[in-house]
Amino acid sequence: MSMIAAFYGGKSILITGATGFLGKVLMEKLFRTSPDLKIIYILVRSKAGQTLQQRVFQILNSKLFENIKEICPNVHEKIRPISADLNQHDFGISKEDMEELLSSTNIIFHCAATVRFDDPLRHAVQLNVTATQQLLLMASQMPKLEAFIHLSTAFSNCNLKHIDEVIYPCSVEPKKIIDSMEWLDDAIIDEITPKLIGDRPNTYTYTKALGEIVVQQESENMNVAIIRPSIVGPTWQEPFPGWVDNLNGPSGIIIAAGKGFLRSIRATPTAVADLIPADTVVNLTLAAGWYTAVHRPKSTLIYHCTSGNLNPCNWLKMGLHVLATFEKVPFEKAFRRPNADFTTTNFTTHYWNAVSHRVPAIIYDCYLRLTGRKPRVLKLMNRLLRNISMLEYFINRSWEWSTHNTEMLMSVLSPEDQRIFNFDVRQLNWLEYIENYVLGVKKYLLKEDMAGIPEARQHLKRLRNIHYLFNIALFFIIWRLLVARWQMARNVWFFIVSFCYKFLSYFRASSTLKL
Ligand SMILES: CCCCCCCCCCCCCCCCCCCCCCCC(=O)SCCNC(=O)CCNC(=O)[C@H](O)C(C)(C)COP(=O)(O)OP(=O)(O)OC[C@H]1O[C@@H](n2cnc3c(N)ncnc32)[C@H](O)[C@@H]1OP(=O)(O)O
Ligand SMILES: NC(=O)C1=CN([C@@H]2O[C@H](COP(=O)(O)OP(=O)(O)OC[C@H]3O[C@@H](n4cnc5c(N)ncnc54)[C@H](OP(=O)(O)O)[C@@H]3O)[C@@H](O)[C@H]2O)C=CC1
């Protein structure tokens, strides 16, 4: 019997961010391995015109949850959405709901966050710091609470090269930042943001670091753990390989490359691509929840959930294998044939951005204009390049994360728990994982049918022919212009023509002689 699965049986679990990428994988695994859990409370806001119930219905009826109804037939009764917006005071939770949460919750998984790199500091602080503080305050009033598990990121201290499983201080106390957000106006906040985030690349990593300090400061008498995943990729094994449902991390770039939009990207080929599968993160999170509640470590333990030190893969290996997979499973309706490369200097990046990205976009926009349609490709391309520039920081550096706590946790699990809650990335076969990643992007993100592959191949052949024709036409146009304006080009042209003429005459004469 799995000790971890048994531990969650009969428990009331509160999850924030359950509608997000990791939250959904976490919920699915909980229902699959501990169908006898008492209830899962999820804090949900209504969004995009959908009510809470509609959002839950959509999740439970998705491909990710397709086996859950069999394993846990009353899953609908065991999931209780609570209307909550983490941007509001007390999360806007009703009095009755709050009373129920406070009196019943045994375990909290705090996954909610803004993961945008370009969020204004005020919003990122509200969600990643203030909301965490409020949730801890709520947790401190829960008499039955056994563990509070906070999802952070391995990049919260990305200003350091070697990162230990400890909480690092920030130059300004989180409490002061939270207070200042109440009275500073937006213009001043924007002005001081670069000074506050210092050598971190964005408000996301900075506010996640502040969030960790808040967890440390406000968790007195609570059993708390912090999980720090690196770049979370699609599922490796569970419930099936390749599941992904958002454009974060490399997924958006894989789409752009597969559709032929992206032809080059500034990256350091040998830098470590520290991806970690979503199911690995979830397994570690559940194991840490069990360990924190049962073993009650004296201090807050931080678990690095990374792959680089145990089973490293670099961006070159990843990029090449992504391209190889496009050959096998091409994406539909590509803009150009997928063929991307890495650039390593400012000059080559700007050059290829102009030649391979903006010029084709302008040409396509001219074609759209000529055929009476609205030009849109250059705008899209500029947006893509802007977005990529925000990710570049992470693909041009490598970090070392120590993983003592994670390895310790693995060693205390029973063989059965090591199998059911596997987070040993040494067993990960990167080539297989990357192939499933591309397939998952095609199936679950782009919603493309595998039956459309022959047509996608035909489309790529047509694009290749157009590409050849275009190059030949371009060559002749340039040559004609050169010949018309430049004596040297005319001389070369006459030399080539007379050479060909002589060659043909010689060839004709020798074949006549043979006859
Ligand atoms: C030699 C061979 C070479 C071959 C090379 C080619 C192969 C390529 C393979 C290699 C890939 C290398 C890529 C590496 C990428 C590395 C990423 C590193 C990330 C580090 C992660 C740190 C870990 C974390 O803790 S954070 C979690 C991850 N967070 C993110 O990734 C967030 C990043 N995103 C953002 O900050 C923003 O989305 C931004 C700024 C990028 C874009 O903002 P913008 O305002 O321009 O767009 P949006 O308004 O957000 O969206 C436009 C449009 O798209 C929809 N959309 C956006 N995001 C999502 C989503 N997550 N899910 C679903 N849909 C999304 C959005 O709804 C909009 O749609 P509309 O219809 O227009 O409304
Ligand atoms: N994905 C990654 O690569 C990594 C993620 N992490 C961490 O893991 C955690 C989960 O990330 P991930 O699942 O990818 O993120 P997602 O963006 O997919 O999910 C974020 C979740 O937070 C919820 N949320 C955001 N704002 C509010 C709000 N105001 N009120 C209520 N709920 C809100 C979202 O709800 P809604 O659906 O309503 O928007 C969603 O459920 C985060 O803490 C993140 O920092 C760490 C490392 C890497």
Side-chain angles (χ1 to χ4, degrees), residues 11 33 91 111 248-249 251 262 271 291 304 306 318 332 345 366 392 410 440 462 476 498 501:
K11 293 276 170 7
T33 49
F91 303 156
C111 304
N248 288 341
S251 306
L262 184 80
Y291 186 81
H304 281 161
T306 54
M318 170 154 184
E332 290 171 13
T345 64
C366 288
E392 273 175 7
M410 209 182 302
R462 280 195 294 272
F476 276 110
S498 65
Y501 179 75

Side-chain angles (χ1 to χ4, degrees), residues 108 110 128 132 148-152 208 211-212 215 225-227:
I108 298 179
H110 179 34
N128 296 348
T132 302
F148 182 108
I149 309 299
H150 174 74
L151 261 293
S152 185
K208 289 300 277 189
E212 290 182 0
V215 170
I226 296 177
I227 316 291

Side-chain angles (χ1 to χ4, degrees), residues 115-118 152-155 204-205 229-232 245-250 253-254 257 262 265 315-316 318-320 322-323 326 340-342 383 386-388 390-391 394-395 445:
V115 301
R116 289 185 70 97
F117 295 154
D118 60 346
S152 185
T153 165
F155 295 97
Y204 170 69
T205 49
S230 47
I231 303 172
V232 182
D245 82 337
N246 70 36
L247 299 174
N248 288 341
I253 294 190
I254 290 177
L262 184 80
I265 180 167
W315 290 113
L316 179 65
M318 170 154 184
L320 288 176
V322 167
L323 292 183
F326 291 151
D341 207 348
F342 291 140
R383 190 165 174 178
R386 185 189 78 94
N387 291 350
I388 286 174
M390 277 186 244
L391 305 180
F394 300 95
I395 41 180
L445 264 179

Side-chain angles (χ1 to χ4, degrees), residues 259 330-333 442-444 446-450:
K259 293 277 181 185
F331 292 173
E332 290 171 13
K333 297 186 188 131
K442 181 174 171 69
K443 285 200 268 189
Y444 311 119
L446 294 172
K447 312 251 186 279
E448 291 182 6
D449 198 335
M450 299 304 270

Side-chain angles (χ1 to χ4, degrees), residues 14 16 105-110 135 139 142 145 147-150:
L14 168 62
T16 70
T105 306
N106 301 120
I107 320 280
I108 298 179
F109 293 106
H110 179 34
L135 190 66
M142 294 175 172
L145 190 75
F148 182 108
I149 309 299
H150 174 74

